[in-house]
Amino acid sequence: MLKAAKVIALKDLRIELRSRVVLNQILPFVVVVLIIFAFAFSKYPTLLVTVAPGLYWVATLFSSLLALQRSFSLETENGAKDALILYGLDPAGIYVGKVFAVLVEMVVLEVFLTLGIVLLYSVHLHELVDLAFTGLIGTLGILAVGVTFSAMTSASKAKETILPLLLLPVVAPVLLSGTKAWENEIAGKAGLGDPWVGLLILFAAAFLSLGTLTFGSVLEE
Amino acid sequence: MARKSWIALVGAFALVTVGVTYIMGLWITPPDVFQGNLVRLIYVHPAVAWVAYLAYGVTSLASLAYLWKKTRNYKWDLLAASSAEVGVVFTALTLITGSIWGRPTWGVWWTWDARLTTTALLLVLYLGYLALRRVSEDREQRAKRSAVAALIAFIDVPIVHQSVVWWKTLHQSATVFNADLNPKIHGEMAWTLLLGFLSFTVVYVWMVIKRYDIARTQFKLEDQTVERAIKERVGTI
């Protein structure tokens, strides 16, 4: 399984390095989102500091939708998905590889997103390790269920509209817990022992297990 | 007795029990000391909420039965879909009746309380499930994918609930099924409440049977269309 995961992850990351869709298109999108949020709160600029954790997670969620769609649009071209199945790769391996590749892309995006929040919203961040871990585990949760849903919908005609409808309600706990965990960490109130971080870990673990078990059923045509 | 008569009997029973709940709830039971006539919504609101949860429970079990290879049968898929559809209707009813009660009691149509938020998310979660069922054209693919989506929703609901419960909550704690199983409601009000649960559950059963029958007929029709098309092609060769 891990061998298949490595092959898939390296393949996806190599494609990204050559095409730079995430860096050249999704990253600017994240910047635009940050600017648009600032417009929404223009009357009370200080409010941006207060709501920055929530905005971080909303931006992460939106950009992960794009990254996920990109990840599976690669497989719909030229029947690449059928080839993957015909190679006899372990479906669980394909799943883990996809999650890992998108996670790496998202980590890069989130580094820029955090920088944007610090620079544009004047938020002072302490406890960077805690924040980074919370960001990583929350994103992993989003992607764990997101990869399953993207695989289900990538071949359909309504893929752009159905993925957000399926994914957003399911990952609502990540948005809520991630925001609360970041708020507490920024306020210096709680570290990684925060129950909200625990909930994020539980979420990621539950959906990684389910995704690994069911990806075979999702992938079969 | 034939299947059709059974279904008609279930339908008639549902109609009668809902009718009796209606009369008991509106005329026989007294108004509440504190809430006045508003209390009458209690005969509907918890009952429809319970049916929504029941419906999603059935959807989850049926989806599991479909995914498990030993019990794999399209019947489970059709049952899961039928129950989810009825569940969505009852979830919407739960939100509507809750809002009607919330406006005069809390002063707002909507508040970001734990149960309200969970219920609203539950509604969109299963709307997504129903939307997913419409995008796949292949029967087997649709069945497998929607079964996985139903399982995701099933695992998600307790996590959603836990995450929103940690917000401070405004909603009343459970009236009947509270932790010490000591109901805070008595006499004819309690009986009417229980009758409400029974009547809406029977309504649910009747609706799912009807919806399942329609789904099965559609399924057979698809088969016949394919067969006819094959016959026409073969006939012309």
Side-chain angles (χ1 to χ4, degrees):
Chain A
M1 182 185 99
L2 286 178
K3 206 177 161 191
K6 196 178 149 196
V7 171
I8 295 292
L10 284 177
K11 168 191 81 78
D12 276 14
L13 290 173
R14 199 174 298 130
I15 293 177
E16 171 49 31
L17 272 181
R18 288 177 188 163
S19 66
R20 297 189 195 259
V21 167
V22 173
L23 278 182
N24 290 347
Q25 290 172 23
I26 306 182
L27 182 60
F29 168 78
V30 171
V31 178
V32 171
V33 169
L34 281 177
I35 295 173
I36 285 176
F37 281 148
F39 290 165
F41 295 98
S42 62
K43 203 173 173 194
Y44 307 101
T46 47
L47 208 63
L48 278 172
V49 179
T50 320
V51 296
L55 300 184
Y56 171 87
W57 282 101
V58 172
T60 301
L61 194 54
F62 285 164
S63 44
S64 62
L65 275 174
L66 296 180
L68 283 165
Q69 268 169 353
R70 163 71 187 158
S71 170
F72 278 90
S73 72
L74 294 175
E75 309 300 344
T76 46
E77 284 167 23
N78 304 325
K81 199 158 94 183
D82 297 335
L84 274 188
I85 299 166
L86 288 174
Y87 285 145
L89 287 173
D90 182 3
I94 300 179
Y95 169 78
V96 174
K98 281 277 176 197
V99 172
F100 186 77
V102 188
L103 184 66
V104 171
E105 294 167 6
M106 286 303 300
V107 166
V108 176
L109 284 177
E110 283 173 56
V111 168
F112 282 101
L113 181 61
T114 315
L115 269 177
I117 284 179
V118 172
L119 295 175
L120 296 175
Y121 299 172
S122 316
V123 179
H124 298 289
L125 296 181
H126 323 280
E127 313 293 343
L128 276 180
V129 178
D130 290 2
L131 290 175
F133 178 78
T134 309
L136 189 73
I137 202 79
T139 311
L140 185 63
I142 296 175
L143 300 180
V145 61
V147 164
T148 309
F149 278 144
S150 309
M152 277 182 192
T153 55
S154 63
S156 74
K157 284 174 206 148
K159 61 183 175 220
E160 294 89 357
T161 44
I162 189 105
L163 182 64
L165 176 60
L166 284 172
L167 188 61
L168 294 185
V170 174
V171 298
V174 175
L175 201 65
L176 204 64
S177 317
T179 306
K180 287 283 176 190
W182 263 53
E183 278 173 5
N184 292 343
E185 283 160 11
I186 290 176
K189 272 194 270 179
L192 293 179
D194 195 358
W196 291 111
V197 178
L199 206 62
L200 286 175
I201 296 174
L202 175 78
F203 188 94
F207 286 110
L208 274 177
S209 327
L210 186 74
T212 315
L213 288 175
T214 56
F215 206 63
S217 303
V218 171
L219 213 58
E220 280 170 26
E221 298 284 337
Chain B
M1 211 186 322
R3 189 169 180 278
K4 222 173 175 176
S5 331
W6 271 111
I7 300 171
L9 202 67
V10 172
F13 187 62
L15 199 65
V16 171
T17 46
V18 169
V20 176
T21 311
Y22 182 71
I23 294 165
M24 294 279 290
L26 281 185
W27 286 289
I28 312 273
T29 53
D32 185 65
V33 184
F34 301 110
Q35 297 190 13
N37 282 324
L38 262 183
V39 76
R40 300 183 194 283
L41 263 172
I42 205 182
Y43 308 123
V44 179
H45 176 71
V48 292
W50 140 255
V51 170
Y53 279 99
L54 173 72
Y56 298 139
V58 170
T59 299
S60 310
L61 284 179
S63 302
L64 208 59
Y66 182 83
L67 277 184
W68 200 35
K69 287 209 168 83
K70 278 186 187 168
T71 48
R72 180 163 295 178
N73 191 314
Y74 282 119
K75 280 182 185 171
W76 295 119
D77 177 52
L78 299 181
L79 176 64
S82 312
S83 187
E85 244 181 67
V86 179
V88 163
V89 171
F90 275 87
T91 314
L93 281 176
T94 307
L95 289 174
I96 293 168
T97 51
S99 265
I100 294 172
W101 184 84
R103 179 77 178 102
T105 314
W106 296 332
V108 283
W109 290 109
W110 183 262
T111 171
W112 293 101
D113 153 78
R115 282 198 213 178
L116 271 75
T117 316
T118 309
T119 313
L121 282 171
L122 208 59
L123 180 71
V124 278
L125 213 60
Y126 281 92
L127 278 177
Y129 169 84
L130 292 179
L132 179 69
R133 294 196 64 89
R134 288 176 185 273
V135 297
S136 303
E137 279 161 18
D138 180 71
R139 192 181 278 179
E140 197 186 333
Q141 194 187 66
R142 179 178 58 208
K144 273 188 191 163
R145 290 178 177 179
S146 35
V148 172
L151 280 189
I152 290 178
F154 180 67
I155 295 177
D156 200 45
V157 170
I159 306 181
V160 169
H161 188 68
Q162 191 53 49
S163 66
V164 284
V165 154
W166 284 347
W167 288 8
K168 205 176 162 91
T169 177
L170 243 181
H171 199 285
Q172 299 199 325
S173 58
T175 307
V176 182
F177 301 109
N178 50 6
D180 47 1
L181 278 179
N182 175 22
K184 292 177 198 153
I185 183 168
H186 299 284
E188 58 205 12
M189 289 170 91
W191 286 114
T192 313
L193 180 64
L194 289 179
L195 183 67
F197 274 83
L198 174 74
S199 59
F200 285 107
T201 309
V202 183
V203 170
Y204 160 77
V205 171
W206 182 78
M207 283 171 88
V208 171
I209 295 174
K210 281 287 178 192
R211 185 63 189 87
Y212 176 83
D213 281 353
I214 295 170
R216 214 178 45 173
T217 315
Q218 275 174 332
F219 197 81
K220 282 182 187 157
L221 184 71
E222 280 170 26
D223 275 347
Q224 282 174 3
T225 319
V226 175
E227 273 171 29
R228 198 182 309 134
I230 292 171
K231 256 185 207 158
E232 278 169 12
R233 301 294 187 285
V234 174
T236 54
I237 291 171

